[in-house]
Amino acid sequence: MDLVKYVQESFVEKKDLPSFSAGDTITVYYQIKEGEKTRTQFFRGVVIQRKGSGSSETFTIRKMSGNIGVERIFPLNIPAIEKIEVNKRGKVRRARIFYQRERTGKSARIKERRV
Amino acid sequence: MPGLIGKKIGMTSIFTPDGKNQPCTVLEVGPCVVTQIKSEDVDGYNAVQIGWGEKGEKHATKSEIGHAKKAGTTPKRKTIEFRNDLEHQMNAGDVLTVEMFEEGEYVDVVGTSKGKGFQGVVKRHGFGGVGQATHGQHNRLRAPGSIGAGSDPSRVFKGMRMAGRMGGERVTVENLIVLKKDVEKNLLIIKGSVPGAKNSTVIIEKLWN
């Protein structure tokens, strides 16, 4: 038996998150620590990739802050994530949409997928 | 308690209680059997010999089978000795498992590093190479530079660090933390990395004092 997988399953708590993939617009609510206090912050953007498998899977989301692109990588099972909201399902042709980094304005639009 | 023999399974990551993503190594450790207690009167020194891994009587020599029989076990694939004044605490035939380690404890891990083949001085000894790629340099970017003076010694001193075979040697990493243990599956989860390839044999030593 694959003992690495066994360790991942028994020592990492799996989160119950909605399914999403590249092209979707999501909002991640996560806790941040400021000294003693913790508060919830959110990050809203387009998922540009999901990477890895099992408990060590991560996803990258990208948003435009003003006219500067900001990307954040979250481990899928990190305890700091409170919840994830899927705001829009996007229709894209590949699993990793890095071409979005070169696009701005009209060409950066992603078609909505009907669910 | 001395330490145990085990096998490196692979690396993954788990989350610490304060929510950090922590890379870790999974080791399958023990159960090990005390195969012999060496004493100063008989063997000239005091030590505890422990064995790990089934060898099977078909592959073992007669002397190995006889040696294991004395301790009441079967022949083992790997045996090591610990000379830590433990010989009064144990008897031949005792079984040691991961239970001897605690979560949060510091251990030393001994392994055989991955073979890197014939490597130059930059990778093997951390030389800087020649600083520049331009300004008249040719073919010298990763060269060792001077290896000694000229006609006075008229030779290269022994032990001069040069290119050669790298890796495949015994490496000890000290003070690694045991993050988790699984007694049922004989697993130890160690913070950080451990020398050697997957499935290679490692020795986990409990610290003293």
Side-chain angles (χ1 to χ4, degrees):
Chain A
M1 194 196 147
D2 192 346
L3 287 168
V4 172
K5 214 172 242 177
Y6 169 79
V7 168
Q8 288 183 344
E9 275 163 18
S10 49
F11 293 114
V12 179
E13 211 177 311
K14 276 257 161 96
K15 292 220 156 194
D16 194 21
L17 298 171
S19 70
F20 58 88
S21 59
D24 296 353
T25 304
I26 63 171
T27 312
V28 180
Y29 294 86
Y30 60 100
Q31 289 175 334
I32 54 168
K33 249 187 207 155
E34 284 175 336
E36 285 301 290
K37 272 187 269 178
T38 58
R39 65 185 178 88
T40 307
Q41 213 173 42
F42 69 87
F43 193 96
R44 185 176 176 193
V46 180
V47 179
I48 62 171
Q49 73 166 337
R50 285 182 72 144
K51 190 178 183 182
S53 63
S55 68
S56 55
E57 187 175 351
T58 63
F59 62 92
T60 308
I61 41 181
R62 176 182 175 86
K63 75 169 178 186
M64 296 302 288
S65 175
N67 54 359
I68 296 170
V70 179
E71 282 181 22
R72 247 200 104 135
I73 302 168
F74 288 98
L76 198 60
N77 292 303
I78 196 162
I81 293 182
E82 266 179 10
K83 63 169 177 176
I84 290 180
E85 262 173 23
V86 181
N87 307 109
K88 216 162 83 181
R89 302 266 178 197
K91 185 179 173 185
V92 289
R93 291 191 172 185
R94 49 210 72 227
R96 296 178 178 184
I97 50 167
F98 296 145
Y99 61 80
Q100 275 290 20
R101 288 173 179 158
E102 276 100 58
R103 296 194 178 181
T104 49
K106 233 178 188 181
S107 62
R109 286 174 305 176
I110 294 173
K111 240 188 198 170
E112 200 160 342
R113 177 161 54 110
R114 302 201 157 228
V115 189
Chain B
M1 292 279 175
L4 293 178
I5 315 172
K7 187 171 90 168
K8 178 170 168 179
I9 300 294
M11 288 191 73
T12 180
S13 64
I14 61 173
F15 295 101
T16 54
D18 56 344
K20 295 233 167 73
N21 194 2
Q22 176 65 58
C24 58
T25 311
V26 182
L27 304 174
E28 190 178 8
V29 179
C32 297
V33 181
V34 177
T35 47
Q36 192 187 5
I37 305 287
K38 293 199 169 178
S39 64
E40 192 140 19
D41 309 332
V42 183
D43 307 285
Y45 62 99
N46 290 324
V48 175
Q49 188 189 68
I50 65 168
W52 167 82
E54 287 309 309
K55 196 163 194 181
E57 300 220 337
K58 191 179 153 196
H59 300 290
T61 61
K62 271 191 178 165
S63 57
E64 281 170 342
I65 296 170
H67 180 71
K69 214 173 222 172
K70 265 191 212 162
T73 65
T74 49
K76 300 295 175 198
R77 271 200 6 236
K78 171 106 183 153
T79 56
I80 53 168
E81 282 180 11
F82 286 98
R83 300 177 67 173
N84 284 333
D85 249 355
L86 299 153
E87 48 287 344
H88 342 283
Q89 297 171 25
M90 309 187 183
N91 300 310
D94 285 1
V95 177
L96 308 171
T97 64
V98 280
E99 280 181 61
M100 64 193 265
F101 296 105
E102 311 263 319
E103 285 174 11
E105 187 185 339
Y106 286 90
V107 292
D108 289 351
V109 179
V110 184
T112 306
S113 63
K114 280 185 181 175
K116 305 284 191 299
F118 193 99
Q119 294 296 334
V121 288
V122 174
K123 189 183 176 88
R124 192 171 182 226
H125 299 298
F127 283 18
V130 175
Q132 288 175 319
T134 59
H135 288 280
Q137 304 288 358
H138 175 61
N139 276 351
R140 317 292 312 144
L141 200 56
R142 297 174 70 89
S146 168
I147 54 169
S151 54
D152 189 3
S154 266
R155 64 192 176 90
V156 174
F157 291 120
K158 274 190 174 176
M160 182 63 61
R161 292 174 298 166
M162 292 192 187
R165 288 273 182 94
M166 184 184 170
E169 59 189 351
R170 183 188 165 104
V171 176
T172 307
V173 181
E174 293 178 338
N175 296 328
L176 296 172
I177 300 179
V178 176
L179 292 176
K180 302 270 182 201
K181 66 172 179 177
D182 190 315
V183 177
E184 208 176 297
K185 297 241 178 206
N186 295 313
L187 296 179
L188 273 188
I189 298 171
I190 307 265
K191 179 178 171 180
S193 59
V194 155
K198 284 178 196 173
N199 295 321
S200 63
T201 309
V202 290
I203 300 165
I204 298 93
E205 289 173 357
K206 210 171 157 79
L207 295 194
W208 293 95
N209 61 55

